[in-house]
Amino acid sequence: MYKILYIGRPIESVVQVLKESASLDLLGYILDKNLPEDKINNDKKIFRSYDLHEYNFSDIDIVKPDLVLVPNYSRLIKSSLINRYPFINIHGGILPKWRGFSSNLWALLNGEKKVGYTVHRIRSGMDNGEIYRIIDVDVQDDVKFIDLRKNIIDKLCNQLENILIGIIDGSLQPVEQKENDIVYNCKLNPDDGIVWDWDKPSRYFIGLWQIFSYPPYGTGMKVFIHDKLYYVTKITQEPEIAVSMGISGAVVNMYEDGSVLIKTQDTAVRIYEFMDMEKKRMLPCKLLKIGQRLQGNVKTR
């Protein structure tokens, strides 16, 4: 059996695949100790539920793993280690373009048609090692990212054992990354789900809804109306609306079902329902009127 060491935050379905493999021996884990204490303790609890041993970086040369899997770690790893053992990252984004944190989320905001994970070799740099496999899914505007992510992880787990074995025995050959058209990303925070500026393409707002969705999955896409925050619970991009200049954030139409059309930088988005912070749902026509302008947290006229 090939010896595997796991570094970083636990993706439970990935841990389960490794534990159940007849060809891979999951030795244990190294925690990401750069996180807040409550997250570290929770990660430790998950790993221990699989009866796994905790290691430190200083133990790597003692256990001599055949492969070190790093699905979710927040810091760069020393070159002295990654040059001695095959460190393999499961990166949440499609390389070589989307590097850094929250890459799939930024890909959605930028209108990409696919999101996915990249299994690649870790080198001295940010997500720049050779690529072994890309696992992706098509993006549909009405599907939230939490569901897209589940689909990607399911596809990844179905292939993971064979991918890792292929990396170790050399039957799976990597491809060098092309160093052009690269995007580096930062982490998204809950406040990034608030619409401060409507002067963006319609696809951006669809992506924002997909990413933040509504609890329990996310913290919600929110808009200011009369200096109060409201969740957007359903939004679409209407295909018949042509690209045009206009006042971004203006209410330009209302429909019989109570939904409203908000002008964006290029076309418009249709909002079907709001919910206030007390979880009361309401039709947009009850809060807005044609000609009203939504601009960040400035009181609308």
Side-chain angles (χ1 to χ4, degrees):
M1 295 181 71
Y2 294 120
K3 297 185 293 184
I4 307 293
L5 188 61
Y6 189 112
I7 295 180
R9 306 208 68 190
I11 301 175
E12 288 203 59
S13 52
V14 170
V15 175
Q16 188 73 37
V17 167
L18 298 176
K19 280 288 291 183
E20 294 177 353
S21 171
S23 302
L24 304 174
D25 179 16
L26 181 56
L27 302 173
Y29 62 94
I30 295 176
L31 291 169
D32 187 345
K33 295 184 178 178
N34 306 295
L35 302 172
E37 186 175 356
D38 60 329
K39 291 186 177 181
I40 294 174
N41 290 334
N42 185 65
D43 289 352
K44 184 183 293 188
K45 182 179 178 181
I46 292 172
F47 281 124
R48 286 181 173 177
S49 71
Y50 288 93
D51 195 28
L52 294 172
H53 182 76
E54 182 178 352
Y55 291 95
N56 295 307
F57 278 96
S58 59
D59 297 318
I60 293 178
D61 284 329
I62 298 173
V63 299
K64 297 186 183 304
D66 295 296
L67 183 145
V68 182
L69 189 64
V70 189
N72 197 345
Y73 190 70
S74 63
R75 294 289 188 273
L76 294 178
I77 297 172
K78 292 180 180 179
S79 298
S80 58
L81 275 176
I82 61 177
N83 291 334
R84 293 203 298 276
Y85 300 94
F87 277 70
I88 303 299
N89 183 24
I90 299 176
H91 171 67
I94 297 178
L95 296 175
K97 182 176 181 179
W98 295 99
R99 298 184 179 184
F101 298 98
S102 303
S103 290
N104 278 322
L105 308 186
W106 284 109
L108 279 175
L109 289 177
N110 281 274
E112 293 285 1
K113 301 302 183 184
K114 290 181 180 290
V115 293
Y117 283 97
T118 304
V119 181
H120 72 99
R121 182 76 181 256
I122 294 178
R123 297 298 186 186
S124 56
M126 176 73 78
D127 300 326
N128 62 344
E130 309 94 292
I131 295 173
Y132 284 98
R133 187 68 56 84
I134 293 174
I135 313 292
D136 59 35
V137 296
D138 294 328
V139 172
Q140 299 88 33
D141 287 353
D142 60 343
V143 179
K144 297 177 182 179
F145 177 71
I146 189 71
D147 298 314
L148 290 172
R149 182 178 183 272
K150 181 182 184 303
N151 292 340
I152 305 167
I153 291 178
D154 287 346
K155 288 181 69 174
L156 169 69
C157 288
N158 287 336
Q159 302 179 41
L160 186 60
E161 181 179 22
N162 289 334
I163 292 172
L164 299 184
I165 292 172
I167 294 172
I168 295 170
D169 67 18
S171 60
L172 182 59
Q173 293 298 306
V175 177
E176 296 284 343
Q177 293 195 43
K178 295 180 179 179
E179 297 292 326
N180 60 289
D181 293 329
I182 294 170
V183 179
Y184 287 99
N185 305 287
C186 65
K187 287 184 177 180
L188 284 168
N189 298 316
D191 281 353
D192 295 321
I194 299 174
V195 179
W196 302 101
D197 180 10
W198 286 92
D199 193 28
K200 298 180 186 296
S202 292
R203 186 62 191 78
Y204 172 87
F205 299 104
I206 301 301
L208 202 68
W209 174 81
Q210 288 179 292
I211 289 167
F212 287 94
S213 60
Y214 179 71
Y217 305 115
T219 52
M221 174 186 175
K222 309 181 193 75
V223 299
F224 279 101
I225 302 174
H226 302 305
D227 288 340
K228 290 181 63 178
L229 273 175
Y230 293 86
Y231 294 105
V232 175
T233 59
K234 183 180 178 182
I235 184 173
T236 62
Q237 184 175 352
E238 299 300 283
E240 73 274 9
I241 304 298
V243 174
S244 66
M245 295 179 64
I247 303 298
S248 298
V251 181
V252 292
N253 196 16
M254 287 191 173
Y255 298 89
E256 291 183 358
D257 62 2
S259 62
V260 300
L261 200 66
I262 309 294
K263 183 71 180 78
T264 63
Q265 184 186 81
D266 53 1
T267 58
V269 292
R270 185 172 176 177
I271 298 178
Y272 292 81
E273 185 185 66
F274 289 121
M275 184 166 63
D276 65 18
M277 297 298 108
E278 286 72 46
K279 311 300 188 296
K280 180 182 178 182
R281 296 176 183 268
M282 60 201 71
L283 293 173
C285 66
K286 301 295 184 181
L287 294 172
L288 302 172
K289 60 184 179 180
I290 292 178
Q292 190 170 340
R293 301 181 183 186
L294 305 178
Q295 294 292 336
N297 64 347
V298 179
K299 188 173 183 178
T300 55
R301 298 189 294 275

